[in-house]
Amino acid sequence: MTAININKTVKTTCPYCGVGCGVLATPQPDGSVSIKGDPDHPSNFGRLCSKGSALGETLSLDDRLLYPEIGGKRSNWDSALDLVAEKFSDAIQEHGPDSVAFYVSGQILTEDYYVANKLMKGFIGSANIDTNSRLCMASSVAGHKRAFGADTVPGTYEDLELADLVVLVGSNLAWCHPVLFQRLETAKVSNPGMRIVVIDPRQTATCAIADLHLALKPDTDVALFNGLLAFLAESYSTNDRYINSFTEGFEEAIQKAGPCEIGHVAEKTGLSRQDIALFYKMVAGTEKTVTVYSQGVNQSVVGTDKVNAIINTHLATGRIGKPGMGPFSVTGQPNAMGGREVGGLANMLAGHMALENPQHREIVQEFWKSPLVADKQGLKAVELFQAVKAGKIKALWIMATSPVDSLPDADGVAEALKECPFVVVSEVTKSADTVAYADVLLPAAAWGEKDGTVTNSERRISRQRQFLDHPGEVKADWWQIAEVARKMGFGEAFSYLRPGEIFKEHAALSDYRNSGSRDFDIGAYKGVSDEGYQDLTPFQWPQQVDANPSETRFFSEGDFFTKGRKGQFVPVSYQAPRKLERAYPFILNTGRVRDQWHTMTRTGKTARLVSHIAEPFAEIHPEDADQLGINAADIVEVKSPFGKVLVRALVTERVREGEVYVPMHWTDQFASRARIDAVVGPETDPSSGQPGSKFTPVSVSKKSMDWFGFAVLKHKPAEFPGDYWVLAPVSGGYRLEFAGQGDPNFNAIASVEGTDTADCMRVEDTTAGWSRRAFWKDDLLEAAIFISKNPVEVSRQWACGLLSSDPMSKKQRFQILAGRAPADRPDPGAIVCSCFQVGCNQISEAVKNGADSVQKVGTELKAGTNCGSCRSEIQSQLDDLLKEAMHDADLAQAG
Ligand SMILES: Nc1nc2c(c(=O)[nH]1)N[C@H]1C(S)=C(S)[C@@H](COP(=O)(O)OP(=O)(O)OC[C@H]3O[C@@H](n4cnc5c(=O)[nH]c(N)nc54)[C@H](O)[C@@H]3O)O[C@H]1N2
Ligand SMILES: Nc1nc2c(c(=O)[nH]1)N[C@H]1C(S)=C(S)[C@@H](COP(=O)(O)OP(=O)(O)OC[C@H]3O[C@@H](n4cnc5c(=O)[nH]c(N)nc54)[C@H](O)[C@@H]3O)O[C@H]1N2
Ligand code: SF4
Ligand SMILES: [Mo]
């Protein structure tokens, strides 16, 4: 990569989560890029989490896709785009506009998204454009539209700080929106009266801050919130003025919810009556309540009902759009919100207009001067890939998402792509699983190379700015789409030269024939100059022409976007989750880990981020593990009728009995078989079309392995030994976990070594079933391989440091074969703080020596003092250790 301007600091926005933190990127003379939080950005005020701080380490070009390819061979832009335009045009001509589709992503910029949506809905004339936001935000969108008449997020981040009660439903905020979580942590310190409730079947890192954790049974949230609605009504805690003046449907909703019978709620949710009563009283008695919700709510076959059950409680109390109050759906991806603004979902239209509204269609068509506008919903993600499989889609363009990893029934999706006559993939990397299915591969400009805007969870629009030159022949996504549109004969409407022109058009459409009828209005920016766009500072919408509202919250005094401008209570009834069959007796829950982003194409490149959790796992309750004969670190198979994975068992009380949790991140690039979406079923919510990615009936069994291996390797192996393997980068090379059945195949393992010219040392005891080998070249370690009958007990932290060591003495060589860190360098244990590489053993040691707060641990070890993402984990470790110490003291006293 080459910088545009060395030493010049550029203000941009983080490309990961929906918090939307401002970043200062400064290319350095040595070719690296220094990354800092932007102190002036109103989302993060200078903070960055572990992923944001490591952005500089993800910019290398080693795996980048740099040139267009046709059929796996290097081509050029003209030929590649001619072919795309031709195939799309042919399909449309022969089979009609609904025979083609785009599948895009909340990780493209608003400008990219706007152009893709315009081409499909206004010029091709189909609404077959859907996005990975279907897997993410669709239930929130549907719930908002039902309640508010528009997809409006009423509140702001500040509300979390101003609240006296924050309820986090299906949100692991500490790991998934870390900087917002840190703002909440800080607010709690200055407002000790603040209460935090976490509603999540699992005990997550977020629970470290919770006053109450409600570990409910999966998919029983509607029962809990319907009970709350009834409780609010019965305890006279509703706001009758708000209900009467600004809403409709209260009576029906109350009727549907039924009387508040805490016993029944307890039965359905599996929670204790005391906890439920405590929660209900807290909400009833706290005016300033914010309910934050995320994928535990959205990714469910009853996701939209969950959203409305939550919103109903806020409408009933009038706690909405006021400082410190409101329902708050946090977005996942950096531009999930921008995608919604441009109407990037198959059932939406541009500028927050509705596809099913003839007047809206007319407005959009008139503004675009387009020949037509799609007048019926397109295929939603899961349906779309089913249609691909059924042969109904003849040409498909995938952009900035990896459906063979992230869609449910992912193996089915891969099959579908194999059969699709023409697949285009726009990507930044060659190593994404979906790349293998492309007929045409288009190299896209990555973060740092591209230019445009994104909108975060609180409707704040910020610039992503370019500070690196385009490597190879990469091009921005908007350019690729506009160029194809031109080649398809729509040149006039797609004559953009710069992203700023697209932004201006998007702003103008938001204001076109609006006059307050639509929530999304950034008309104030419709005349923005090139310089103005270049210098754009973060702002929240709405921003109407001539009005510069300082108040950007919605609905404090009603004025919803429904026909009669009234907010709608949506009566929802609890539906019991489906019964588990004998063959699949566990509920599979899936989600994220702290330091990885989705399919790991960027965060999986940095040793620092991988050090937190280097292997896919299944969290399983000790009782279940016991019954299944599963021990810690065994390999387990998690299987459904759709597919299976092999992952490491993590036996823990953090999950409920009968449930397992597997992260979504590991792909075929990093593991033998860990694509969890191959297991997840494709059932969707009937209103939103969002899949229930948090609930799949599965079986769990121990996969007996005859031997286990661990290796650190300077070079990536050409082949992987055994039935199970997981690869991860470390400083100076790779680490490999592996395991297999039968005799360890030493020939295969030799292929891992890949170093016939190196010096080799080995010790082994084949009867006891272990072997250790190490290889050196010029006294530098090339590879160290440990094999044993049981999971290898070598300190991973120590071993991973070996590749970057200096030339080794004899003594050091023997230490490697002994498989042990020298006594003067104790094993730091599993890494908790990835910034300073501090492990759990070090933290325990510090606590034993008197560090009794996160702050003191920080002073002692620096852990948690940079990005702060690990502070909640340090807190939980501290809580556990202090509990243990107290228990020991009690025992001592009793004895
Ligand atoms: N580190 C990291 N951060 C990320 C991302 C990432 O990949 N890595 N991705 C970003 C994206 S795109 C998104 S969408 C967000 C997601 O952010 P979150 O939604 O916070 O993350 P998840 O881990 O998907 O799921 C949240 C929780 O839902 C719980 N859950 C499961 N079933 C239920 C249920 O029935 N009811 C309730 N109440 N809870 C349930 C799970 O146990 C899990 O802890 O994160 C964003 N931030
Ligand atoms: N089981 C299960 N499945 C899930 C979820 C879950 O919780 N559980 N969560 C779902 C959710 S909420 C989400 S958001 C999805 C995310 O799933 P995906 O969208 O499939 O995951 P990413 O790894 O973010 O994919 C982004 C791809 O775009 C590429 N890319 C990055 N920048 C650019 C760019 O500027 N242009 C182009 N053209 N390409 C780019 C990256 O290299 C990467 O391959 O997964 C969903 N799937
Ligand atoms: S919280 Fe972390 S991942 Fe999210 S935007 Fe901020 S720095 Fe990026
Ligand atoms: Mo997401």
Side-chain angles (χ1 to χ4, degrees):
M1 62 187 180
T2 46
I4 295 179
N5 266 315
I6 289 172
N7 287 333
K8 180 169 183 261
T9 297
V10 172
K11 281 183 179 236
T12 183
T13 311
C14 176
Y16 297 126
C17 86
V19 177
C21 296
V23 171
L24 300 178
T26 319
Q28 304 292 302
D30 66 0
S32 67
V33 176
S34 127
I35 297 289
K36 289 207 166 65
D38 179 354
D40 299 330
H41 197 288
S43 301
N44 57 319
F45 301 104
R47 297 178 182 92
L48 289 179
C49 77
S50 48
K51 295 181 297 299
S53 317
L55 271 166
E57 294 157 38
T58 62
L59 302 173
S60 71
L61 296 179
D62 41 346
D63 62 345
R64 281 294 297 278
L65 177 68
L66 295 174
Y67 306 98
E69 288 182 13
I70 299 178
K73 295 205 176 65
R74 179 164 169 184
S75 177
N76 55 59
W77 278 108
D78 233 14
S79 320
L81 296 183
D82 276 343
L83 184 64
V84 176
E86 184 193 309
K87 290 281 185 185
F88 271 76
S89 300
D90 287 355
I92 294 163
Q93 197 149 45
E94 222 173 295
H95 304 279
D98 291 330
S99 68
V100 300
F102 294 163
Y103 183 59
V104 302
S105 159
Q107 291 170 77
I108 54 175
L109 306 178
T110 298
E111 292 74 4
D112 306 320
Y113 234 135
Y114 178 87
V115 177
N117 187 58
K118 180 179 179 183
L119 174 58
M120 187 52 84
K121 294 200 179 119
F123 290 81
I124 291 178
S126 166
N128 278 348
I129 170 168
D130 212 40
T131 129
N132 61 2
S133 281
R134 181 69 58 196
L135 320 174
C136 182
M137 304 314 304
S139 298
S140 277
V141 174
H144 290 157
K145 287 181 80 168
R146 291 204 303 201
F148 309 147
D151 175 22
T152 320
V153 172
T156 69
Y157 291 160
E158 201 189 28
D159 293 328
L160 273 73
E161 296 165 324
L162 297 174
D164 293 316
L165 174 63
V166 176
V167 183
L168 298 159
V169 196
S171 157
N172 186 4
L173 206 73
W175 279 11
C176 296
H177 297 90
V179 165
L180 188 55
F181 180 79
Q182 288 179 18
R183 286 180 60 171
L184 183 62
E185 263 181 327
T186 313
K188 198 179 182 199
V189 171
S190 47
N191 173 12
M194 182 195 264
R195 291 288 164 263
I196 295 174
V197 178
V198 172
I199 302 176
D200 191 314
R202 267 189 332 137
Q203 192 194 329
T204 61
T206 306
C207 295
I209 200 185
D211 299 282
L212 178 66
H213 171 211
L214 301 176
L216 82 181
K217 288 187 196 162
D219 272 358
T220 60
D221 307 70
V222 172
L224 186 66
F225 279 89
N226 265 355
L228 174 60
L229 182 67
F231 183 88
L232 292 169
E234 289 170 21
S235 62
Y236 305 101
S237 312
T238 52
N239 179 335
D240 297 338
R241 182 190 81 92
Y242 194 89
I243 295 175
N244 295 331
S245 325
F246 304 132
T247 72
E248 285 171 350
F250 178 65
E251 288 307 325
E252 291 86 333
I254 283 290
Q255 217 155 37
K256 252 297 173 30
C260 179
E261 289 173 287
I262 292 195
H264 285 175
V265 178
E267 214 171 284
K268 289 169 185 148
T269 56
L271 299 169
S272 74
R273 287 160 178 256
Q274 290 83 339
D275 280 353
I276 298 169
L278 180 60
F279 170 54
Y280 286 0
K281 281 186 201 143
M282 270 185 188
V283 177
T286 316
E287 186 62 3
K288 289 192 171 175
T289 295
V290 172
T291 311
V292 174
Y293 52 97
S294 186
Q295 300 315 336
V297 168
N298 294 338
Q299 287 174 341
S300 160
V301 294
V302 291
T304 311
D305 283 356
K306 290 190 191 185
V307 169
N308 287 113
I310 291 170
I311 292 175
N312 284 346
T313 64
H314 281 272
L315 291 176
T317 46
R319 295 173 187 161
I320 186 166
K322 298 171 189 149
M325 300 178 221
F328 202 135
S329 148
V330 280
T331 50
Q333 300 175 90
N335 202 28
M337 191 69 99
R340 286 146 72 177
E341 291 157 11
V342 306
L345 289 156
N347 54 329
M348 306 205 326
L349 200 52
H352 268 210
M353 282 178 267
L355 199 68
E356 61 281 2
N357 180 329
Q359 198 205 352
H360 283 177
R361 290 201 302 272
E362 186 209 306
I363 292 173
V364 172
Q365 186 175 352
E366 186 176 284
F367 180 84
W368 278 345
K369 300 190 182 66
S370 67
L372 74 178
V373 154
D375 59 2
K376 63 174 195 321
Q377 288 197 4
L379 296 166
K380 298 177 181 143
V382 174
E383 301 165 341
L384 170 60
F385 283 86
Q386 284 163 350
V388 171
K389 199 168 194 173
K392 291 182 191 147
I393 301 295
K394 310 295 178 192
L396 172 66
W397 191 343
I398 298 167
M399 185 171 272
T401 175
S402 191
V404 304
D405 297 317
S406 52
L407 269 169
D409 185 17
D411 287 346
V413 169
E415 286 301 314
L417 287 183
K418 259 188 229 159
E419 281 160 37
C420 185
F422 187 65
V423 178
V424 185
V425 174
S426 295
E427 246 304 338
V428 300
T429 174
K430 280 187 274 194
S431 28
D433 286 347
T434 301
V435 160
Y437 301 87
D439 295 291
V440 174
L441 260 181
L442 302 176
W447 184 78
E449 300 157 8
K450 53 197 235 173
D451 225 3
T453 54
V454 290
T455 312
N456 74 0
S457 297
E458 58 164 358
R459 288 173 277 102
R460 194 180 295 282
I461 297 179
S462 304
R463 287 280 273 111
Q464 264 194 26
R465 291 188 175 86
Q466 188 180 356
F467 53 87
L468 298 172
D469 281 325
H470 283 183
E473 292 176 5
V474 308
K475 289 281 193 186
D477 291 299
W478 68 264
W479 180 89
Q480 302 178 18
I481 305 157
E483 199 62 18
V484 168
R486 289 192 275 263
K487 287 176 187 281
M488 288 174 78
F490 309 125
E492 215 174 310
F494 292 88
S495 59
Y496 313 109
L497 297 174
R498 283 176 291 277
E501 295 173 2
I502 306 169
F503 180 80
K504 233 162 50 175
E505 182 179 314
H506 170 56
L509 172 58
S510 74
D511 153 85
Y512 191 64
R513 292 171 62 184
N514 186 338
S515 354
S517 65
R518 308 191 301 263
D519 62 342
F520 179 66
D521 188 338
I522 54 166
Y525 291 87
K526 68 180 178 182
V528 71
S529 63
D530 281 351
E531 298 75 49
Y533 180 74
Q534 212 41 48
D535 298 340
L536 207 67
T537 48
F539 70 92
Q540 255 179 322
W541 60 260
Q543 293 290 336
Q544 292 97 340
V545 178
D546 299 331
N548 202 346
S550 54
E551 180 54 68
T552 52
R553 294 182 179 90
F554 285 90
F555 312 138
S556 63
E557 293 294 301
D559 207 15
F560 291 88
F561 296 97
T562 51
K563 251 203 190 107
R565 309 294 280 191
K566 299 257 176 149
Q568 302 294 310
F569 282 92
V570 181
V572 289
S573 51
Y574 168 72
Q575 293 169 40
R578 76 192 146 122
K579 288 226 157 46
L580 302 177
E581 296 164 37
R582 255 227 185 120
Y584 300 104
F586 285 87
I587 297 171
L588 168 68
N589 175 9
T590 60
R592 296 160 168 79
V593 302
R594 191 189 76 195
D595 287 356
Q596 289 305 329
W597 178 261
H598 299 163
T599 67
M600 298 170 59
T601 55
R602 288 166 285 170
T603 46
K605 282 167 81 166
T606 100
R608 179 148 67 108
L609 291 181
V610 163
S611 68
H612 180 236
I613 296 178
E615 211 180 348
F617 56 85
E619 285 182 348
I620 181 163
H621 192 275
E623 294 286 335
D624 292 327
D626 220 34
Q627 288 228 323
L628 297 167
I630 293 169
N631 293 315
D634 273 343
I635 308 296
V636 293
E637 181 179 271
V638 179
K639 190 171 139 192
S640 77
F642 303 95
K644 59 186 177 188
V645 292
L646 289 181
V647 292
R648 191 75 72 168
L650 205 162
V651 180
T652 168
E653 284 176 353
R654 287 195 296 266
V655 284
R656 294 162 40 93
E657 280 184 62
E659 292 163 26
V660 284
Y661 177 81
V662 178
M664 65 170 292
H665 307 290
W666 277 265
T667 66
D668 288 349
Q669 309 295 321
F670 298 97
S672 49
R673 191 176 252 280
R675 289 163 49 247
I676 194 59
D677 273 298
V679 181
V680 173
E683 288 77 22
T684 57
D685 175 295
S687 310
S688 67
Q690 179 157 355
S693 321
K694 301 272 187 265
F695 191 121
T696 302
V698 294
S699 64
V700 179
S701 57
K702 172 171 170 159
K703 189 91 179 168
S704 290
M705 294 289 173
D706 298 311
W707 52 272
F708 293 81
F710 171 71
V712 289
L713 308 155
K714 195 148 265 174
H715 305 285
K716 193 168 172 170
E719 271 178 68
F720 297 98
D723 304 287
Y724 171 88
W725 59 262
V726 179
L727 184 76
V730 297
S731 169
Y734 298 88
R735 55 178 286 178
L736 182 71
E737 299 280 353
F738 53 115
Q741 293 176 328
D743 284 335
N745 177 346
F746 284 104
N747 284 338
I749 293 167
S751 79
V752 173
E753 298 157 7
T755 73
D756 9 306
T757 54
D759 319 334
C760 169
M761 276 170 81
R762 81 159 70 162
V763 285
E764 57 196 17
D765 180 338
T766 37
T767 14
W770 58 265
S771 164
R772 294 180 188 144
R773 298 157 175 228
F775 300 82
W776 287 268
K777 222 182 239 168
D778 307 325
D779 289 330
L780 292 172
L781 187 73
E782 279 280 303
I785 303 175
F786 307 87
I787 289 176
S788 116
K789 269 192 176 161
N790 296 311
V792 175
E793 285 183 16
V794 160
S795 158
R796 303 303 195 256
Q797 257 354 91
W798 163 75
C800 291
L802 294 173
L803 290 173
S804 44
S805 299
D806 296 332
M808 287 186 178
S809 65
K810 257 224 162 79
K811 191 170 154 207
Q812 285 171 310
R813 291 180 177 217
F814 280 109
Q815 265 158 0
I816 293 179
L817 291 180
R820 227 178 287 125
D824 61 337
R825 273 207 297 160
D827 176 13
I831 292 298
V832 175
C833 168
S834 45
C835 296
F836 295 113
Q837 295 284 298
V838 180
C840 60
N841 295 353
Q842 288 168 289
I843 294 170
S844 292
E845 202 49 39
V847 174
K848 273 185 211 138
N849 293 334
D852 57 0
S853 67
V854 174
Q855 207 185 353
K856 285 189 192 156
V857 171
T859 318
E860 193 71 16
L861 299 169
K862 283 170 106 177
T865 57
N866 182 39
C867 79
S869 294
C870 62
R871 279 208 296 265
S872 54
E873 272 155 279
I874 300 176
Q875 182 67 56
S876 340
Q877 205 187 331
L878 203 69
D879 291 346
D880 289 348
L881 288 166
L882 295 178
K883 240 188 269 161
E884 243 173 66
M886 249 150 34
H887 181 69
D888 291 349
D890 286 350
L891 284 183
Q893 221 165 29

